[in-house]
Amino acid sequence: MTTAISGALTTRLREARSVVAFTGAGISVESGVPTFRGADGIWAKLRPEELASMDGFLKNPSVVWDWYAHRKKIISAIHPNAGHYALVEMEKKVPQFAVITQNIDNLHRRAGSKTVFELHGNIERNYCMKCGKTFTDEFVLAVAGLPKCDSCGGMVRPDVVWFGEMLPEEEWESSVAAAEGADLFLSIGTSAVVYPAASLPLLAKRAEAYVVEVNPEPTPITDKMDEFLEGPSGEILPMLARVMERERGGSGAAAHS
Ligand code: BJW
Ligand code: ZN
């Protein structure tokens, strides 16, 4: 396992004015959320196109709703882990810091991260497919059978991005701008196979950010990274936050801006 932090990364942790943390399902593993791909992943047992697509939903809305209701219950019962909290600490130290997440579990906000761009939505929100009215989990989980809009009778769905759907425009544009403006870009706990999200580390690299991947396994982008820190994010991110703290001392983001 290679978890030594190089001199080059230490310099960035001390001097970077703009840092981006790009996260995927791996950062939530230590909170108890399963990943999508791999031997223990969700897709090892279930077919993505049947559950995470509009076609799948329209063909079998109750199966898809059962799956989301199950995940909503798991996610509401778990907590952010040391990896999420390390990013909150880093945000306090850097003039510009953004979390760009593919995760829908809301754990970054629950940990206390302030600037969070959610590329694939948020499982805690729901909306009517016909009129757009939004609904709480309390509403959708209390219904026996399929949740229907109480204004127009339309089908209600979770506010997540399925395959074949566009990413939310504002979140995407802010993410591209953050990636292109980053001095240090951390790609954390993502298999980097789902586009367009997976293009962000490469955009950052092209814009001359120092790009570091944190993952127990290599991914298709590992060879293009400046550094690969092999291991769980719940161990590696607190190490990075400690180096940042040591290198920057007590100076918070406000002191730099
Ligand atoms: C740890 C760890 C620890 C483990 N610590 N790490 C062919 C080529 C290219 C693109 C396409 C194509 N065909 C179709 C497309 C487009 C498609 C796509 O990319 N498909 C590829 C899979 C082939 N993309 C889309 O459809 C997107 N929209 C789009 O492109 O719009 C334009 C368009 C519109 C219309 C027509 C055509 C184009 C939308 C993508 C939406 C993705 N949605 C999901 C589901 C969200 C809702 C839900 O959760 O129910 O988002 S899929 C799923 O994958 C989820 C995730 O956010 C996403 C990424 O997964 P992630 O986070 O990387 O997780 P894993 O499981 O893959 O990896 C976990 C990693 O953690 C691993 O590396 C582990 O090693 C690591 N790990 N323990 C740190 N302790
Ligand atoms: Zn409606």
Side-chain angles (χ1 to χ4, degrees), residues 20-24 102 184-192 197-198 200-201 210-215 219 221 225 227-229 237:
V20 166
F22 170 58
T23 65
Q102 299 168 86
L184 173 62
F185 186 101
L186 307 171
S187 181
I188 304 158
T190 177
S191 59
L200 291 170
Y210 194 76
V211 184
V212 177
E213 186 174 42
V214 177
N215 200 309
T219 72
I221 62 167
M225 302 290 100
E227 265 180 61
F228 175 52
L229 300 179
L237 296 180

Side-chain angles (χ1 to χ4, degrees), residues 25 30 36-37 68 71 102 120 161 164-165 190-191 195 215:
E30 288 147 278
F36 292 92
R37 297 164 187 84
Y68 278 100
R71 289 170 69 207
Q102 299 168 86
H120 294 161
V161 180
E165 296 185 327
T190 177
S191 59
Y195 282 81
N215 200 309

Side-chain angles (χ1 to χ4, degrees), residues 23 27 84 87 99 101 103 106-113 116:
T23 65
I27 196 171
H84 297 101
L87 298 181
V99 173
T101 190
N103 299 344
N106 209 24
L107 290 180
H108 288 296
R109 286 221 176 80
R110 282 171 55 196
S113 285
V116 182

Side-chain angles (χ1 to χ4, degrees), residues 131-146:
C131 75
K133 183 171 175 182
T134 56
F135 294 91
T136 61
D137 275 349
E138 213 176 4
F139 176 90
V140 297
L141 295 176
V143 178
L146 286 177

